[in-house]
Amino acid sequence: MPRGRYSLHDLHDHTPLGEEHFHCAPGPSGWRYVSQTTAPSGAHLGSVDLALDELGRPIRLELHAASWHIRGAALDGVTWVRTDPTGTHATEGNVRAHTFSGTSPAFLVATARLLRLTPDSPATRVRLVTFTDPVLAPRTVDQSWSLLNSEAHATDNGPLIVDEYQVNALDTGDQHAVHIAGDVVLAAPGIELEHLESPPSVMPRAGDGEWDAPDGA
């Protein structure tokens, strides 16, 4: 069960935004990630609880930030309920999207698990509902993902496969790289892995069981 700590930074000026303390593990029905986020001062900012099924679809999402609360799952695309800080009102949302996204590194692992790309796979288009901090406002975005390279690195626990993805934002044309080993993000824009207590879990790869690319890929 990987357990560790990410540092989070502003994408534009690299200002420290805080840290995300996490643990995650594969299970009999998929994968689960749980984390707590703290500000640079150490104050609590929020939490993430994400569970995926064996195909990488989100079967449960719970986000907390600034007293806002999201509950979501894959249902007719993705469906969620967003509750306001007073707890007296809630709004529902539904989008024909493939999965969720947000600030947490968990969402990068979730998207990679959903797509299960290989280096010879064509660029794959994916639609995401992303929840933006600090009020968890939902926004629909389209990206394309490509797996540029998978490289084995020798470690004391055996070879560690590091996947390098290129992610393109289809609305702005921005491109960035994401490096993932198993179920741990090694580096991505605004994200650095600062500490890891145990090796990443081995995640399913293309050809492991049945899988269909998202519609519109």
Side-chain angles (χ1 to χ4, degrees):
M1 176 187 293
R3 182 184 300 268
R5 171 171 49 88
Y6 294 108
S7 61
L8 308 177
H9 307 269
D10 185 272
L11 292 176
H12 303 289
D13 61 12
H14 306 292
T15 300
L17 299 178
E19 295 184 334
E20 187 162 329
H21 301 257
F22 73 94
H23 62 272
C24 56
S29 61
W31 180 73
R32 187 180 180 194
Y33 177 101
V34 177
S35 70
Q36 299 286 330
T37 305
T38 57
S41 65
H44 177 74
L45 289 179
S47 62
V48 178
D49 189 340
L50 174 64
L52 308 178
D53 68 9
E54 68 276 8
L55 296 181
R57 298 170 299 197
I59 55 176
R60 186 183 71 256
L61 171 66
E62 288 200 33
L63 296 178
H64 290 86
S67 299
W68 293 88
H69 183 202
I70 296 286
R71 291 178 182 267
L75 180 64
D76 295 327
V78 293
T79 299
W80 69 92
V81 175
R82 177 175 178 262
T83 305
D84 68 293
T86 66
T88 58
H89 302 284
T91 57
E92 296 184 2
N94 172 262
V95 172
R96 297 295 294 177
H98 302 112
T99 191
F100 295 111
S101 185
T103 303
S104 173
F107 296 112
L108 296 173
V109 176
T111 301
R113 183 180 175 104
L114 175 71
L115 298 179
R116 297 192 190 180
L117 300 175
T118 64
D120 57 355
S121 298
T124 300
R125 179 169 178 159
V126 60
R127 174 160 290 180
L128 312 166
V129 172
T130 185
F131 297 104
T132 57
D133 292 336
V135 296
L136 301 181
R139 185 168 64 93
T140 303
V141 299
D142 291 303
Q143 297 177 340
S144 71
W145 281 57
S146 302
L147 178 56
L148 300 183
N149 184 45
S150 290
E151 186 174 352
H153 295 262
T155 72
D156 293 341
N157 299 293
L160 179 67
I161 305 299
V162 177
D163 293 327
E164 179 186 358
Y165 295 91
Q166 178 176 291
V167 180
N168 295 352
L170 297 183
D171 56 346
T172 64
D174 289 343
Q175 297 183 357
H176 60 267
V178 174
H179 294 82
I180 297 176
D183 54 356
V184 173
V185 176
L186 302 182
I191 298 168
E192 293 292 341
L193 179 65
E194 299 290 350
H195 176 69
L196 188 64
E197 294 184 7
S198 56
S201 302
V202 177
M203 301 290 275
R205 305 183 71 81
D208 296 344
E210 296 182 1
W211 175 80
D212 292 320
D215 294 339

